[in-house]
């Protein structure tokens, strides 16, 4: 299993991050979502297929400091749980510079 951590502000996120997604298969849950509410992270996971888990850590009003801290926290969580660093990728949608923190 490969993991892609994503983070950003409201352009990245809709809804809430479910940490149980790290170890579970959400295919059935995804089938129950309304595609018009999908974010780019949902489409990325669908396109990559079953070998990937895209963990959307974005949140409305995230500033760049929060984005960086969130990514570092979840990187540490994955590494601490034994995930090989070669199986982890990160995609960040930085907020505008005026939203420093």
């Amino acid at each position: 299993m490969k993991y892609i951590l994503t983070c950003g502000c409201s352009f990245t996120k809709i809804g809430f991050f479910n940490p149980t997604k790290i170890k579970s298969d959400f295919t059935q849950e995804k089938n129950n979502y309304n595609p018009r509410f999908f974010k780019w992270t949902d489409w990325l996971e669908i396109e990559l297929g079953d070998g990937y888990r895209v963990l959307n850590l974005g949140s409305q009003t995230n500033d760049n400091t929060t984005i960086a801290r969130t990514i570092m926290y979840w990187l540490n969580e994955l590494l601490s749980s034994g995930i090989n660093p070669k199986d982890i990728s990160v995609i960040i949608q930085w907020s505008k510079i005026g939203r420093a923190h």
Side-chain angles (χ1 to χ4, degrees):
M1 179 69 57
K2 301 210 181 262
Y3 296 86
I4 300 176
L5 297 176
T6 66
C7 199
C9 62
S10 58
F11 290 105
T12 300
K13 186 59 180 179
I14 189 168
F16 297 96
F17 172 61
N18 183 345
T20 61
K21 186 177 179 183
I22 291 172
K23 299 278 183 175
S24 64
D25 178 9
F26 273 64
T27 304
Q28 184 60 41
E29 184 175 326
K30 279 260 192 254
N31 290 337
N32 293 328
Y33 288 166
N34 184 338
R36 71 181 200 168
F37 296 115
F38 277 16
K39 291 292 188 177
W40 63 267
T41 55
D42 298 315
W43 292 111
L44 178 62
E45 184 168 23
I46 290 167
E47 288 298 316
L48 291 173
D50 293 336
Y52 288 84
R53 287 289 161 253
V54 177
L55 307 177
N56 187 341
L57 307 170
S59 182
Q60 293 79 356
T61 73
N62 263 359
D63 57 68
N64 289 331
T65 301
T66 302
I67 292 167
R69 288 179 178 164
T70 301
I71 286 291
M72 294 307 293
Y73 175 85
W74 283 101
L75 270 173
N76 187 55
E77 287 292 306
L78 288 176
L79 294 170
S80 296
S81 70
I83 304 296
N84 185 330
K86 292 180 180 181
D87 292 335
I88 302 171
S89 297
V90 175
I91 301 173
I92 297 175
Q93 176 260 308
W94 294 108
S95 186
K96 64 183 178 178
I97 194 80
R99 191 191 282 179
H101 64 275

